[in-house]
Amino acid sequence: MDIKEERIRILFGLKVRQFRIEKGLSQNELSRLCGLSVSYLNEIEKGKKYPKANKMIQLAGALDMTFEQLVTLKTTKELGLVGEVLNAPIWEELPLETFGLELGRIVELVAMAPNRANAFISTLIDILRRHSVTRAEFNMIAVRSYLELQGNYFEDIEVKAAEFLEVHALQDVPLYPEQLENILSEKFHYLVSPIDTIEYPELSALRSVYIPGTQRRLFLQPKLENHQRTFIFGRELGFASLNIAKRPFTFSWIKVTSFEEMLNNALASYFSGALILPEKKLAADIAGFLGRERWDSNLLVETMKKYTLSPETFLYRLTNLLPKHFGIDSLFFLRFNKEKGVDRFKMDKELHLARLHNPHSKASEDHFCRRWISLSVIKEIERTGTSDYVADAQVSIYPNGNRYFVFTIAKVTENPDVVSSYSIGLAWDKGLLARIGFSRDRNIRQVYVGESCESCPILDCKVRKAPPLHAMKRREIEQIEGGLARLAEDSAG
């Protein structure tokens, strides 16, 4: 459907509704005056119908206004911000049907309480501007929200990946890049070549470049590790097998123009993960792991190595299967990066299922809590200089009472100056305790943590990097509130 035509219908319907209400008319009364049925008027006001000129003249006469006043695309003062919302470019990029939404329904809800809605929208726009949220960042947030709404599990892709493995006799794990490259070449007519970083030094930071055409070309960074090549080939097979045309052409992204491209990239990446870590085999291994009486970080790494050498691919794949197969759906996934010698951690990937969990990224420049296992394993790699995987786990206890069992794997990236950690956190509640065998393992550390140094109430923390400014402010407010309560009580007495 043409988004511009839809906007015109919606805006026209809102104006008819506003003018009718201003005249003190019900839909039944307007129906009698203009000769149009109540149901038809209702469809007009909801943006479902756009009447022909003769019917518009009848409406204009009944509302005691000119034809031009009714049909002009200019908005009234009350509908000004709603008009801005309707004309925002984001609606052209964000396919609302993906979320089961209709633009007309959203605007209808806004129109029911325009003053409050306008204040809310103004606040939202101001927040986005203040924090410099770009269109790409907004689309990324939307993609992440969509994945979370789906429980990060796509049964149709799981089925197609399983069929692909069976058809191509790829039941053994791990997969090797040569196997997938041969299929890309023979079945989908890809020509795979290395990126000539001498001729094109500006492309040296990219892992892959895809060039469409009759002869599909895929250029790869020559220094990629085998597990990285396997994932990229798997993702290309995802694009081809799922018949995805609208997609980003570089990895990492240089320019992604729409929500659809970002979502399609996520779905193709899901296909790749389902090839590398097949659902049935991995679910069986997870069941055995969760049933153990003792937590074993080494076994976690060994299980990963059975399929891949990528902690990110392995742990993120667990977020697909833990909810579906084990009923563990209150969880999060986080990726942290840190440059060696720079005391700043960057959280650049997160996923929250069931609800927003602790911790999560902030727009502020607060220091992440150094008690998090996700950060301490990175510091351990820096301290020891090891190039091997470092895995660990703890139960993190937050000031609000939330508890999470967090396990993480960290390793130096292909850039030797950057260390990354990948973590999964599971809500440490009765549901989880009943599902895992190691819930009573006393060797699992329980650590009190905060969201950030600035908001942490643990005043004697030995690893904090900034004073507890927000926590001190909260205590000041609590003291003032206590004083106000006493003042009110004394005044009443």
Side-chain angles (χ1 to χ4, degrees):
M1 180 182 294
D2 190 327
I3 186 71
K4 293 181 179 178
E5 291 182 6
E6 185 180 12
R7 287 171 179 164
I8 291 172
R9 288 201 314 273
I10 292 170
L11 186 57
F12 180 80
L14 289 174
K15 289 177 67 177
V16 170
R17 180 180 183 275
Q18 180 193 346
F19 293 144
R20 174 178 61 77
I21 292 173
E22 286 178 354
K23 298 293 183 182
L25 299 173
S26 67
Q27 284 188 344
N28 285 325
E29 290 168 331
L30 180 59
S31 172
R32 288 194 296 270
L33 290 172
C34 69
L36 303 178
S37 69
V38 173
S39 60
Y40 189 59
L41 284 174
N42 190 45
E43 291 287 283
I44 289 174
E45 291 189 3
K46 288 184 175 181
K48 303 287 187 181
K49 300 288 186 181
Y50 191 73
K52 294 181 180 179
N54 62 323
K55 294 182 179 178
M56 286 188 182
I57 293 172
Q58 292 173 241
L59 263 176
L63 293 169
D64 193 23
M65 59 195 315
T66 67
F67 176 82
E68 289 74 17
Q69 287 175 314
L70 184 62
V71 300
T72 179
L73 294 179
K74 293 182 180 179
T75 58
T76 62
K77 180 180 179 181
E78 292 78 7
L79 295 177
L81 192 54
V82 174
E84 284 187 37
V85 172
L86 270 174
N87 290 316
I90 192 65
W91 304 120
E92 297 180 6
E93 300 177 10
L94 185 61
L96 294 174
E97 64 275 7
T98 301
F99 293 87
L101 300 173
E102 295 180 6
L103 180 57
R105 178 58 177 157
I106 293 173
V107 176
E108 180 186 354
L109 293 173
V110 171
M112 291 175 66
N115 292 332
R116 294 181 182 181
N118 286 356
F120 171 75
I121 293 170
S122 296
T123 302
L124 179 60
I125 292 173
D126 186 56
I127 290 172
L128 294 175
R129 287 171 179 165
R130 284 175 182 270
H131 295 295
S132 302
V133 177
T134 65
R135 186 175 299 177
E137 289 169 335
F138 182 85
N139 282 332
M140 178 58 71
I141 293 169
V143 168
R144 190 174 69 222
S145 297
Y146 177 74
L147 297 178
E148 292 167 359
L149 285 171
Q150 302 300 317
N152 203 29
Y153 181 84
F154 296 88
E155 186 172 3
D156 57 334
I157 299 181
E158 297 285 356
V159 170
K160 289 180 179 179
E163 291 174 349
F164 185 96
L165 292 172
E166 184 176 356
V167 166
H168 296 283
L170 297 174
Q171 283 81 13
D172 295 333
V173 293
L175 290 179
Y176 295 98
E178 295 78 14
Q179 296 172 293
L180 302 186
E181 182 179 358
N182 287 338
I183 298 171
L184 276 172
S185 175
E186 294 172 8
K187 182 175 181 179
F188 298 103
H189 311 296
Y190 271 68
L191 179 61
V192 180
S193 309
I195 297 174
D196 187 339
T197 54
I198 296 177
E199 180 70 21
Y200 305 99
E202 60 271 29
L203 304 182
S204 58
L206 299 178
R207 291 188 180 183
S208 67
V209 178
Y210 171 76
I211 299 179
T214 306
Q215 173 71 77
R216 300 175 180 178
R217 301 292 302 274
L218 181 65
F219 294 89
L220 295 184
Q221 172 62 240
K223 295 182 180 180
L224 291 179
E225 298 179 17
N226 277 345
H227 68 84
Q228 294 170 325
R229 293 167 60 86
T230 301
F231 184 83
I232 290 173
F233 289 148
R235 189 180 55 199
E236 289 300 324
L237 288 168
F239 287 126
S241 299
L242 301 175
N243 297 314
I244 293 173
K246 198 166 187 178
R247 51 161 294 177
F249 289 166
T250 64
F251 181 69
S252 302
W253 297 336
I254 299 301
K255 184 178 181 181
V256 181
T257 59
S258 70
F259 167 86
E260 189 177 1
E261 283 188 20
M262 288 187 174
L263 178 59
N264 286 340
N265 184 75
L267 297 179
S269 297
Y270 188 105
F271 184 89
S272 184
L275 291 183
I276 297 168
L277 297 109
E279 182 175 18
K280 290 183 179 179
K281 290 182 180 180
L282 183 57
D285 283 340
I286 296 173
F289 188 83
L290 295 179
R292 296 175 63 87
E293 293 184 359
R294 295 286 181 268
W295 169 260
D296 189 339
S297 294
N298 292 327
L299 181 59
L300 177 70
V301 173
E302 292 306 312
T303 303
M304 175 194 74
K305 289 180 178 179
K306 177 179 176 180
Y307 299 92
T308 178
L309 296 180
S310 168
E312 179 173 9
T313 301
F314 174 66
L315 291 180
Y316 193 82
R317 180 66 172 141
L318 295 189
T319 68
N320 303 143
L321 303 188
L322 286 172
K324 176 67 176 180
H325 290 271
F326 303 95
I328 303 174
D329 57 1
S330 189
L331 59 82
F332 63 77
F333 171 89
L334 303 175
R335 179 176 70 193
F336 285 94
N337 292 318
K338 182 184 181 300
E339 291 184 33
K340 292 181 178 179
V342 179
D343 197 18
R344 273 287 185 180
F345 294 83
K346 180 181 180 182
M347 182 194 296
D348 64 352
K349 187 173 182 178
E350 61 179 319
L351 179 79
H352 299 263
L353 299 185
R355 57 188 172 87
L356 184 63
H357 300 280
N358 310 95
H360 51 82
S361 62
K362 294 183 170 71
S364 69
E365 291 297 318
D366 285 0
H367 295 75
F368 291 120
C369 177
R370 291 327 196 246
R371 293 169 174 247
W372 294 347
I373 194 70
S374 305
L375 307 191
S376 61
V377 290
I378 292 178
K379 297 292 286 185
E380 177 68 11
I381 287 179
E382 281 194 298
R383 186 184 66 80
T384 61
T386 181
S387 59
D388 203 356
Y389 300 94
V390 173
D392 208 344
Q394 72 180 37
V395 175
S396 294
I397 306 171
Y398 284 85
N400 62 4
N402 288 344
R403 294 173 179 241
Y404 294 93
F405 175 66
V406 185
F407 55 98
T408 184
I409 304 176
K411 195 178 188 299
V412 176
T413 67
E414 63 268 22
N415 180 348
D417 293 325
V418 177
V419 184
S420 295
S421 72
Y422 311 90
S423 306
I424 288 182
L426 312 176
W428 192 256
D429 53 26
K430 292 182 179 178
L432 179 67
L433 299 182
R435 288 178 169 85
I436 59 177
F438 50 79
S439 61
R440 294 180 177 83
D441 185 353
R442 295 186 178 181
N443 291 320
I444 298 175
R445 298 187 306 279
Q446 299 203 19
V447 181
Y448 287 94
V449 300
E451 278 283 354
S452 68
C453 293
E454 286 82 350
S455 64
C456 183
I458 305 173
L459 298 178
D460 61 345
C461 179
K462 301 297 189 295
V463 294
R464 69 164 57 256
K465 294 298 177 180
L469 300 177
H470 306 330
M472 293 166 64
K473 183 66 175 179
R474 283 199 304 272
R475 278 190 291 275
E476 290 177 7
I477 293 173
E478 289 170 359
Q479 291 172 353
I480 292 172
E481 288 176 340
L484 290 172
R486 289 196 305 275
L487 177 60
E489 183 177 339
D490 292 342
S491 299

